[in-house]
Amino acid sequence: MAPVGPHHQEEPVSYPQPLAPEEKLADAKKQLSLPPIVVICGSTRFMAEMTEADLRETKAGKIVVKPGCDMKSPHRLWSDPVEAEALKVRLDDLHRAKIRLADEVLVVGDYIGNSTRAEIAYARSLGKPVRFTHPAVDSDA
């Protein structure tokens, strides 16, 4: 045993750092053997293209999440303008949650509006890979 005296220094004790929420999610996905999750982003004017992209990504073995409401099409759920505005805020929050859940982002369409541009920036700020069905619209390419 090494002598313990007035000049003895103990080895620092190393404690494991708690996992960040993102690391916990990635670990849980791995433990559950989940396939990659892709979130589809883009203007709702491209809902038909989003459905087609959903089919391709699903065929490739991925879990797909995408916008579930096209608020540009009339529907009784958002016919009241005040309720529609509140719903839009909730849907935007929900879509950001889908981006956090996903392993990658697929942007559909040949047009990028402000909402989609914000979603792309958010995904990239989280380190998510972003793919485009029309790469020419990627201003960061």
Side-chain angles (χ1 to χ4, degrees):
M1 194 159 200
V4 177
H7 301 293
H8 171 76
Q9 288 186 329
E10 291 187 25
E11 292 294 318
V13 178
S14 175
Y15 296 101
Q17 293 295 315
L19 295 177
E22 298 82 6
E23 294 169 313
K24 288 181 183 179
L25 178 59
D27 189 48
K29 287 178 183 178
K30 186 176 180 181
Q31 288 183 31
L32 292 168
S33 300
L34 292 180
I37 301 171
V38 60
V39 61
I40 295 176
C41 295
S43 170
T44 55
R45 71 174 73 169
F46 299 117
M47 288 300 272
E49 291 89 339
M50 288 181 189
T51 299
E52 185 63 30
D54 185 345
L55 291 171
R56 285 192 309 273
E57 296 295 315
T58 299
K59 182 177 182 275
K62 298 177 183 178
I63 295 172
V64 179
V65 291
K66 62 181 175 138
C69 299
D70 175 6
M71 292 187 65
K72 292 179 180 153
S73 296
H75 194 282
R76 63 180 174 78
L77 290 177
W78 48 83
S79 59
D80 176 87
V82 174
E83 289 179 21
E85 188 56 38
L87 177 60
K88 170 86 169 96
V89 170
R90 289 195 313 273
L91 292 175
D92 287 347
D93 288 344
L94 180 62
H95 202 67
R96 281 189 294 279
K98 292 174 183 180
I99 292 169
R100 290 191 302 277
L101 175 68
D103 300 302
E104 64 177 325
V105 174
L106 175 60
V107 180
V108 173
D110 60 1
Y111 162 79
I112 303 293
N114 290 336
S115 292
T116 303
R117 193 175 330 283
E119 291 166 357
I120 294 166
Y122 182 63
R124 286 181 168 153
S125 78
L126 298 174
K128 307 284 180 174
V130 180
R131 294 185 290 129
F132 293 79
T133 58
H134 294 76
V137 299
D138 181 8
S139 61
D140 288 350

